[in-house]
Amino acid sequence: MSSSIYSYVVLFFFISIVPNIQSQPIAPAPTTESSPMINLTAILESGHQFTTFIRLLNTTQVGFQVSVQLNSSDQGMTIFAPTDNAFNNLKPGTLNGLTYQQQIQLMLYHIIPKYYSLSDLLLASNPIRTQATGHEGGVYGLNFTGQAQNNQVNVSTGVVETRINNALRQQFPLAVYVVDKVLLPEELFGTKTTPTGAPSPKSTPSSTSDADSPAVDDDEHKSSGSSAKMTSLGVILGFALFCYLI
Ligand SMILES: *[C@@H]1O[C@H](CO)[C@@H](O)[C@H](O)[C@H]1NC(C)=O
Ligand SMILES: *[C@@H]1O[C@H](CO)[C@@H](O)[C@H](O)[C@H]1NC(C)=O
Ligand SMILES: *[C@@H]1O[C@H](CO)[C@@H](O)[C@H](O)[C@H]1NC(C)=O
Ligand SMILES: *[C@@H]1O[C@H](CO)[C@@H](O)[C@H](O)[C@H]1NC(C)=O
Ligand SMILES: *[C@@H]1O[C@H](CO)[C@@H](O)[C@H](O)[C@H]1NC(C)=O
């Protein structure tokens, strides 16, 4: 009598408790928990001098891509925000001379798919790849030089070089640095290529985030899959013990 109560108790233990214990290290800490939605537009608006950049992020839909990627990537992100002055100082027709796809490339070039503090930028080896890197085999890299101790960091594209000024935000997962020049990539503005020379390519602007998102999804499937396995293992173990005790 008492032994059968005991086995029921043990069965209950294995079915209800064990799967929970097993799955606990897997179930919590989803990537979303650590990153409450960051509103890039709001951060830029607080700087009061980024209307052109905000508009371009919107028209190219790169801004939307950024928010999706910030939500799903654990690498974080670094963004260089040119001021309105920087855009005004471009040669007339520079932006309009670009195809829509090239405008997307230009925006992606201002984004590094990894969080860097100012001093980390100097420690990484040049050139640092950007969100535009790899498009049509282009490097689309940024070079950083300067001294960490007095926070003087320059960014160079090969076409333009400028000081990185203050940070609108420098806190994982997002750093936003102010630059006084639009970062013109060599691939679009170098002497070798002309902005209008290349035919409009067809690849999507979100190729990098597309590559990232499925990876995250895979992880989620894997973890839910393994916790399901743990649950059935607990049930099987419990049932085996139940049979054994009876
Ligand atoms: C982000 O902030 C802007 C400006 O403050 C606001 O218009 C927009 O609705 C916000 N977006 C989200 C998704 O909260
Ligand atoms: C962003 O673009 C959409 C159209 O794609 C437009 O409806 C919306 O008003 C724009 N938002 C801002 C803040 O410019
Ligand atoms: C953020 O990601 C989670 C899942 O990873 C999703 O449920 C949520 O809708 C995402 N939020 C946005 C605004 O994309
Ligand atoms: C960036 O740095 C790399 C490595 O030092 C160098 O090979 C390359 O020429 C540099 N590019 C520019 C545009 O300064
Ligand atoms: C940084 O760039 C500025 C031009 O914006 C230049 O005058 C300065 O010499 C550069 N500093 C370094 C350390 O390269």
Side-chain angles (χ1 to χ4, degrees):
M1 181 67 187
S2 68
S3 107
S4 116
I5 288 173
Y6 173 71
S7 59
Y8 275 114
V9 169
V10 168
L11 173 65
F12 182 78
F13 175 81
F14 270 95
I15 287 181
S16 64
I17 313 292
V18 169
N20 286 338
I21 292 171
Q22 298 277 31
S23 62
Q24 220 137 50
I26 302 159
T31 48
T32 51
E33 202 106 44
S34 57
S35 58
M37 284 310 283
I38 295 169
N39 189 334
L40 177 61
T41 309
I43 292 170
L44 291 170
E45 276 180 355
S46 72
H48 299 295
Q49 48 174 345
F50 302 99
T51 50
T52 310
F53 192 55
I54 291 170
R55 180 173 56 78
L56 281 169
L57 284 173
N58 188 31
T59 57
T60 58
Q61 296 185 12
V62 168
F64 173 70
Q65 184 189 327
V66 164
S67 59
V68 170
Q69 203 164 330
L70 271 176
N71 188 25
S72 63
S73 157
D74 56 2
Q75 294 287 298
M77 202 171 256
T78 302
I79 295 177
F80 300 95
T83 58
D84 288 334
N85 257 339
F87 281 102
N88 290 338
N89 289 337
L90 288 175
K91 270 192 288 177
T94 302
L95 285 183
N96 290 338
L98 298 176
T99 65
Y100 180 60
Q101 182 64 44
Q102 288 169 332
Q103 288 184 8
I104 292 171
Q105 283 300 107
L106 181 63
M107 286 300 100
L108 295 177
Y109 189 58
H110 287 74
I111 301 170
I112 300 174
K114 188 177 191 308
Y115 172 83
Y116 285 98
S117 70
L118 209 48
S119 48
D120 285 347
L121 282 172
L122 292 175
L123 296 176
S125 61
N126 286 328
I128 296 185
R129 59 186 292 273
T130 66
Q131 195 81 338
T133 296
H135 178 80
E136 289 194 322
V139 179
Y140 285 98
L142 291 171
N143 278 9
F144 296 88
T145 52
Q147 291 147 339
Q149 59 265 41
N150 49 9
N151 263 359
Q152 283 219 351
V153 180
N154 271 18
V155 57
S156 164
T157 72
V159 178
V160 296
E161 173 167 13
T162 188
R163 276 272 304 275
I164 293 175
N165 290 321
N166 55 313
L168 283 177
R169 177 193 158 108
Q170 192 178 182
Q171 185 194 340
F172 188 86
L174 176 66
V176 182
Y177 300 112
V178 179
V179 285
D180 286 332
K181 288 181 184 166
V182 180
L183 303 179
L184 302 176
E186 227 168 4
E187 284 76 3
L188 295 179
F189 296 93
T191 46
K192 281 161 274 175
T193 49
T194 58
T196 46
S200 173
K202 277 175 71 181
S203 66
T204 63
S206 54
S207 54
T208 315
S209 77
D210 280 353
D212 283 352
S213 319
V216 171
D217 288 342
D218 282 354
D219 284 350
E220 277 166 6
H221 291 152
K222 244 179 270 159
S223 58
S224 66
S226 55
S227 66
K229 254 179 239 156
M230 288 302 181
T231 306
S232 31
L233 187 65
V235 171
I236 291 165
L237 279 178
F239 185 68
L241 197 74
F242 174 72
C243 297
Y244 172 77
L245 286 168
I246 280 186

